[in-house]
Amino acid sequence: MGLRMNLKLMRASSRGDITAIDQLLALGADVHFQCADGRTPLMVAVQKNQIIAAKRLIEAGSNVNARDDTMLSPYLCAGANGFHEILQLTIKAGADLRSVNRFGGTPLLPASEKGYLKTVQVALDAGISVDHQNDFGWTALQEAVLLGNGGRLYSDVIQNLIEAGASTDLRDHNDQTAIDFAVKMKQQNVTAILRLQENRYHSPVIKEAIRLQGSGQIEAAIASIDCALGEDNENINLLYYKGYFLSEQLRYEQALAAYFAAIQMAPDDLDFYFYIANVYRQLHNPNQVLRIYDLAIALDPKGTFFRYHKSNYLRECGRHEDAIIEMDSLLSLCNRYDFLFHKANSLRSLRRHAEAISCMDQAISLDAASHLYHFHKAQSFALLRMFKPAIEALDYAMMLKPDKADYYCERASYFVALDRNPRIISTMIDTALAIDPTCQRAVAMQKSLH
């Protein structure tokens, strides 16, 4: 009876059915229940951006830091998907702002990578470190350049990061800075912003509109843009900001009208296809999102930007088979280790662990010094219950990164599965806690031993 009730709570949370959630909690359903893949009712509510349901579950005591099998917590998931309202709720509920995802990144990094400007602003306002580097050696700034397109939205993401104090001098594992990326990718406007020069998309009218929007006067911001459009109705920069402000107010059809008007004026400006796809995403219309991505890909078949973001969206929708096809297309254009990592994660979601291991081996061949790939190779072996090669791969990751607490926890979990000496396991957990006394996984494992 308890399991059935908990599964009903999972389904109600996914639907955002508040009445059912309240009834099930009153009957004793467990708000902390985790299904086979580690997801809680809160996590499934977050994944569907069910804001009211998430709020109710948090009020009922759900842990915003509880991790699933992909190392995501509701807090990390909200940030990665651009669900800024839920991100704010998780932060207020005590989210661990130092916690990171499987890439070693805070929510600020995927939000910057995907162009979720409002989420970036929420993360920065909360005090999440602007210069945190993930396991690729990338900061939010580097991700916004490398995985962005240098257009209006990404320029504003980068502008916000710079104004928050982001360093332009930090280097990744290949000794590249954000400016190096911008120059190589011919993102002229981004290069200017990084060098503290003028943002060419920001006319005096737009600067004033952004100021008004930032102070909560969004209707006044839209009015000022409309006034300027009355004098210059073919200014596509004005149309972009009108569309963005309208979408912030959930006036999606009007936002689409502004973006489609811009495409009519400048059909070669592919930037607007991304904005249109974002609006359809907010409207929960996956068919239209994918149609718009495909139109953009057809116009730029050798580009990686739209294919990459299409694959992100397919993963968000749980369509991992389709995401793998898209990643294979990307890899045929550009054999990058981060693309291989994304493909491996989709394979793991499909429980195709042997293929995920093969992907990690390919990534290791491109970047043998990265501990990240060896760690995830170890995890895939462990999911196959092949603990000897899992320990070997993990030991290599620990040799490359000896100060990562989670690796000692992971090794301890393998020894638990192998029913090894509890004293050895306890020593590993103690080492993890010595490295990071706040490591929640180590704390939980220590409690379970006693």
Side-chain angles (χ1 to χ4, degrees), residues 44-104:
V44 298
V46 172
Q47 288 176 320
K48 296 290 186 179
N49 199 24
Q50 301 287 5
I51 300 168
I52 298 173
K55 185 174 186 293
R56 191 65 55 88
L57 291 163
I58 290 170
E59 289 170 348
S62 189
N63 183 0
V64 299
N65 297 308
R67 292 184 183 267
D68 66 12
D69 287 354
T70 66
M71 295 177 67
L72 276 181
S73 65
Y75 157 69
L76 292 168
C77 181
N81 286 298
F83 301 150
H84 61 269
E85 296 100 335
I86 297 180
L87 180 62
Q88 286 176 313
L89 292 173
T90 62
I91 290 168
K92 289 177 182 177
D96 178 5
L97 301 188
R98 294 172 61 247
S99 62
V100 295
N101 59 26
R102 58 196 169 198
F103 298 98

Side-chain angles (χ1 to χ4, degrees), residues 27-44:
L27 289 170
D30 185 3
V31 75
H32 303 297
F33 172 74
Q34 290 183 280
C35 60
D37 58 11
R39 293 184 301 160
T40 61
L42 176 59
M43 177 62 96
V44 298

Side-chain angles (χ1 to χ4, degrees), residues 19 43 45 124 151 195 200 209 269-270 294 314 391:
T19 301
M43 177 62 96
L124 291 172
R195 289 175 172 163
R200 68 183 175 89
D269 192 334
L270 299 187
D294 286 338
L314 287 166
I391 291 169

Side-chain angles (χ1 to χ4, degrees), residues 196-362:
L196 306 182
Q197 297 167 4
E198 189 71 18
N199 183 337
R200 68 183 175 89
Y201 294 125
H202 286 185
S203 66
V205 170
I206 289 169
K207 285 180 181 178
E208 175 60 12
I210 290 171
R211 186 194 68 77
L212 289 167
Q213 183 244 4
S215 63
Q217 302 177 69
I218 196 161
E219 286 289 357
I222 294 169
S224 70
I225 294 288
D226 276 335
C227 182
L229 281 167
E231 299 176 6
D232 184 5
N233 63 5
E234 293 189 356
N235 187 319
I236 60 173
N237 291 335
L238 292 172
L239 283 169
Y240 163 69
Y241 282 99
K242 178 177 180 178
Y244 179 76
F245 295 150
L246 286 166
S247 65
E248 281 284 282
Q249 285 202 307
L250 314 185
R251 292 159 63 181
Y252 297 125
E253 296 301 330
Q254 291 171 276
L256 285 171
Y259 292 152
F260 277 118
I263 282 183
Q264 290 295 316
M265 294 175 196
D268 294 332
D269 192 334
L270 299 187
D271 221 13
F272 284 92
Y273 288 87
F274 187 59
Y275 310 145
I276 290 167
N278 281 345
V279 174
Y280 282 129
R281 177 180 176 270
Q282 290 169 301
L283 286 167
H284 306 289
N285 192 333
N287 291 334
Q288 285 287 54
V289 173
L290 295 170
R291 183 182 72 84
I292 295 298
Y293 278 141
D294 286 338
L295 285 172
I297 289 167
L299 292 168
D300 184 21
K302 293 186 178 180
T304 61
F305 176 77
F306 283 101
R307 286 191 187 279
Y308 177 72
H309 287 277
K310 179 184 175 183
S311 73
N312 274 339
Y313 184 68
L314 287 166
R315 279 192 297 277
E316 180 184 323
C317 294
R319 293 173 56 175
H320 292 285
E321 294 280 6
D322 293 330
I324 289 167
I325 292 169
E326 209 59 57
M327 292 311 302
D328 282 337
S329 297
L330 271 171
L331 287 163
S332 70
L333 293 168
C334 186
N335 194 31
R336 277 178 27 184
Y337 45 74
D338 55 317
F339 291 169
L340 285 161
F341 191 84
H342 284 299
K343 180 181 176 181
N345 280 322
S346 283
L347 287 165
R348 280 178 61 176
S349 295
L350 295 168
R351 290 172 167 70
R352 290 159 59 179
H353 303 306
E355 292 172 77
I357 290 166
S358 177
C359 264
M360 288 298 89
D361 281 334
Q362 293 176 63

